[in-house]
Amino acid sequence: MAVRIALAGGKGGTGKTTLAVGLARAFVSAGERVSLLDLDVEEPNAHLFFKDLREVSRREVLSSVPVVRQEDCTACGRCRDFCRFNAIVVFDKAIVLEEFCHRCGGCVLVCPEGAIEEREVVIGEVVKAVGGGLELVSGWLKVGQANPGPVIREVKAEGVGGQWLVLDCPPGSGCAFVESVEGADLLLGVVEDTPFGAHDFRKAVRVAREMGIDVLVVVNRYGMGNGEVLRVCEEEGIEVLAKVPFREEVHRSLARGIDPYSASGELRAILDSLRDALMARVRG
Amino acid sequence: MRPKEIVVASGKGGAGKTLITALLASTPESKVICDCDVEASNLHLLLGPKIESSQRLHLGTVARVKRDVCRGCGRCWQACRFSAIEDRDGKAYVVPELCEGCGVCAFVCPASAIEMVEEDTGDVFFGRTDWGELFYAELLPGRGSSGRLVSELKGRARKRAMALGCRWLLVDGPPGLGCPVISAISGADVVVLVVEASLSGLSDAERLLALVRRFDVEVVAVANKSGISGELDGRLQAWLEEESVPLALRIPFSPDIACLYANAVLPKALVDISPLVDCIA
């Protein structure tokens, strides 16, 4: 059974992608089979840290959009009244406002004339590639599409090749975050040592706990802020597995797309011990 | 006069949106400030508002199964597009984190065993800072209505800025490209595109600009954490020129700025924000 580790943290830019790519490579160096899933489908970046990626598949993610057959619509307004997302307005005929539509299919069900049908539109893409000894599956939400959920679900359905599934999750604590961490065996919080990181992480922890997911933490840019994140972890009873110090040279390397596992000896040693701690935990 | 609506956005998280918003906030321009990153709101930690009011909003609904009425026929879980209903011991069970509150399950249930109940969405806060009034919100963890919360929050801030006759409505945007970002950008006069001068930052900014171009809005750019590599800075500059986006300000990558900011201190002495202010005004 594969182990699913979700790297998430609430705040953006805390080092989730760095740690996800680094940890995935650390697993590879221990001879493990790894799938890295880039679930930040609004702004995917994991691929930027691989020099040798070879694409193996690419497919579109479709979603159904309701379309009103004008000649059959009597403008009765039941679809509008049913829609909880205010995605339908009715003038002389019903009109669907696509950017508000959540694709629930309710309007199709309630229309007494059968005048609404669904048409598939492309809302994103899932790209599978191999490189660096692992499988990378990235999701790309099409620009202008509002809802990343279906693309996230498709990436998760596609990225199942490894014994270890490393999930690079989107920032925030709302629906994209929930879709991403759903089904994970554990959430590895990547939290920066700043009051902002600590504040945003609290919310992510609450969601994870409601979903019954165990939480562990890596503190990133350790020593830069006031250590509030360590107090949060203590209060919440969360184990801190690693502390990654802020190093200017490493930041410069990562900005240029150098892979985190090769960026510095210190970072590699931290990633290896993080991997060992996770393996010990899971395999006993 | 209608206030100028300025939205600070970047695509990438941690690129410097809140830093730029806070620096703009600390200028003498009359303004109302609004933090639209409702999933991870941080601006108030920097601006230290005196909170005057807060309000719990209910912008969505969630399905609830009456277990004693449910016959376990399965029509609801077949109809649900969000995989939010499961068969547990032969009866329907709603996973609240996945429920979008559409009401389809309640509609298809032959036993009327599902009711739609109001859901708490989040809290909206209003406070005063030394530089202007601040609106921000905290989405309750895991809720699906962040876009609607952003619209509601910004609507309130906009109304207040009009009533006060402010020159600016200054908005700190959320990361990403999805529904909360679209809500934050819609109605803006100016988008301040904060581009982190890194490979990831550039890639994310390119996608965000493609989204911003769908709106009728002026764009000005800030390059943050620049000077790491001549090649990246060159690419950034060439791209902005090609897109005809003026580069109003360049902030170098500096551990001094990062360390001050990491302790919630605004690095006003280290960054001169006035070129950006001139470009907006």
Side-chain angles (χ1 to χ4, degrees):
Chain A
M1 198 46 195
V3 183
R4 287 160 293 185
I5 304 172
L7 284 86
K11 186 176 179 308
T14 60
K16 289 179 291 295
T17 303
T18 300
L19 267 296
V21 173
L23 181 62
R25 295 209 101 139
F27 276 120
V28 169
S29 82
E32 301 287 316
R33 249 184 22 247
V34 183
S35 297
L36 174 60
L37 277 59
D38 194 342
L39 300 178
D40 188 357
V41 304
E42 294 175 44
E43 295 288 26
N45 287 331
H47 63 284
L48 296 170
F49 297 92
F50 292 85
K51 296 286 163 272
D52 57 346
L53 282 181
R54 187 171 57 80
E55 191 178 308
V56 293
S57 72
R58 172 181 294 258
R59 62 188 182 79
E60 292 176 330
V61 180
L62 304 171
S63 179
S64 346
V65 183
V67 180
V68 181
R69 251 196 329 276
Q70 298 289 307
E71 62 274 23
D72 297 329
C73 175
T74 59
C76 71
R78 287 198 207 167
C79 54
R80 174 200 56 210
D81 299 342
F82 183 85
C83 180
R84 291 181 192 250
F85 310 108
N86 304 320
I88 300 185
V89 292
V90 179
F91 296 108
D92 52 334
K93 303 279 174 186
I95 298 167
V96 177
L97 307 173
E98 228 182 89
E99 62 275 28
F100 292 116
C101 174
H102 284 226
R103 332 296 202 222
C104 72
C107 53
V108 179
L109 290 174
V110 301
C111 177
E113 309 298 329
I116 307 181
E117 57 192 7
E118 288 178 282
R119 197 189 47 194
E120 304 249 277
V121 294
V122 177
I123 62 152
E125 240 183 352
V126 174
V127 181
K128 192 191 275 191
V130 288
L134 54 80
E135 164 188 88
L136 170 67
V137 184
S138 307
W140 294 78
L141 182 72
K142 201 169 158 192
V143 172
Q145 288 292 330
N147 178 13
V151 184
I152 293 171
R153 286 195 286 271
E154 290 298 315
V155 176
K156 290 167 87 170
E158 191 89 11
V160 290
Q163 301 153 281
W164 297 89
L165 307 183
V166 178
L167 280 51
D168 184 7
C169 298
S173 53
C175 59
F177 167 81
V178 169
E179 285 285 1
S180 300
V181 302
E182 157 82 9
D185 296 296
L186 61 93
L187 186 146
L188 186 58
V190 181
V191 192
E192 63 174 29
D193 179 16
T194 68
F196 313 117
H199 172 266
D200 299 346
F201 181 57
R202 274 181 199 276
K203 290 170 97 170
V205 171
R206 275 179 58 189
V207 188
R209 294 241 157 111
E210 276 172 32
M211 297 173 78
I213 303 170
D214 281 340
V215 182
L216 297 164
V217 156
V218 175
V219 178
N220 196 16
R221 300 182 193 129
Y222 179 65
M224 194 179 228
N226 58 2
E228 194 179 324
V229 48
L230 297 178
R231 286 191 291 281
V232 171
C233 289
E234 205 178 305
E235 264 174 54
E236 300 275 351
I238 295 170
E239 189 184 341
V240 176
L241 283 189
K243 293 171 185 166
V244 183
F246 176 70
R247 299 278 183 248
E248 195 181 330
E249 325 78 72
V250 175
H251 178 93
R252 289 177 185 277
S253 298
L254 295 172
R256 300 200 318 269
I258 308 270
D259 112 68
Y261 199 59
S262 317
S264 87
E266 181 188 44
L267 183 54
R268 179 182 290 214
I270 292 171
L271 290 165
D272 283 340
S273 66
L274 179 61
R275 170 204 64 206
D276 293 342
L278 290 166
M279 287 174 75
R281 219 182 164 82
V282 170
R283 292 184 176 161
Chain B
M1 208 183 78
R2 192 177 157 274
K4 187 173 255 193
E5 195 168 314
I6 303 157
V7 178
V8 182
S10 67
K12 187 173 180 330
K17 290 179 294 294
T18 303
L19 169 71
I20 298 299
T21 310
L23 287 167
L24 285 172
S26 68
T27 60
E29 219 65 48
S30 68
K31 70 188 84 65
V32 166
I33 310 156
C34 181
D35 185 354
C36 282
D37 189 358
V38 301
E39 297 184 30
S41 58
N42 288 332
L43 190 58
H44 65 285
L45 300 173
L46 269 172
L47 299 183
K50 202 172 138 278
I51 304 298
E52 298 206 341
S53 69
S54 71
Q55 190 189 353
R56 169 78 37 116
L57 298 184
H58 315 274
L59 302 174
T61 56
V62 65
R64 186 190 286 161
V65 179
K66 295 180 229 162
R67 301 271 298 176
D68 50 329
V69 185
C70 174
R71 304 179 204 143
C73 71
R75 290 198 203 166
C76 57
W77 62 74
Q78 282 154 18
C80 177
R81 297 271 176 93
F82 311 106
S83 314
I85 305 190
E86 295 172 356
D87 173 1
R88 284 206 190 163
D89 311 321
K91 298 212 172 190
Y93 171 82
V94 176
V95 183
E97 291 85 5
L98 296 180
C99 176
E100 303 236 357
C102 66
V104 163
C105 53
F107 179 78
V108 300
C109 177
S112 302
I114 302 181
E115 53 187 353
M116 300 305 296
V117 295
E118 237 183 27
E119 183 189 51
D120 295 342
T121 304
D123 299 304
V124 170
F125 297 89
F126 168 73
R128 283 176 206 283
T129 77
D130 294 345
W131 303 289
E133 296 180 354
L134 172 70
F135 287 81
Y136 70 99
E138 303 263 13
L139 182 76
L140 284 165
R143 295 299 194 274
S145 14
S146 55
R148 266 178 285 172
L149 183 55
V150 168
S151 301
E152 173 68 26
L153 178 72
K154 207 170 89 159
R156 291 179 181 211
R158 188 185 283 144
K159 207 182 261 176
R160 184 68 184 155
M162 301 261 270
L164 293 172
C166 290
R167 298 231 321 150
W168 286 359
L169 170 59
L170 178 61
V171 177
D172 191 4
L177 293 181
C179 136
V181 180
I182 292 170
S183 299
I185 294 174
S186 103
D189 297 300
V190 184
V191 167
V192 176
L193 181 65
V194 182
V195 190
E196 184 186 279
S198 68
L199 220 47
S200 307
L202 265 166
S203 163
D204 295 355
E206 282 171 16
R207 278 167 64 79
L208 181 69
L209 184 62
L211 175 68
V212 170
R213 292 294 194 207
R214 295 165 160 247
F215 298 84
D216 177 24
V217 59
E218 188 190 331
V219 186
V220 299
V222 173
N224 192 20
K225 305 180 200 175
S226 72
I228 284 177
S229 110
E231 197 222 324
L232 280 172
D233 288 351
R235 265 183 60 186
L236 200 166
Q237 195 156 352
W239 170 62
L240 291 175
E241 272 167 26
E242 200 179 301
E243 294 283 349
S244 308
V245 172
L247 177 58
L249 183 64
R250 190 194 288 275
I251 303 173
F253 171 62
S254 141
D256 293 341
I257 295 176
C259 283
L260 277 178
Y261 189 66
N263 290 284
V265 178
L266 199 53
K268 280 191 78 166
L270 299 177
V271 183
D272 176 14
I273 197 75
S274 59
L276 177 60
V277 175
D278 296 343
C279 201
I280 290 169

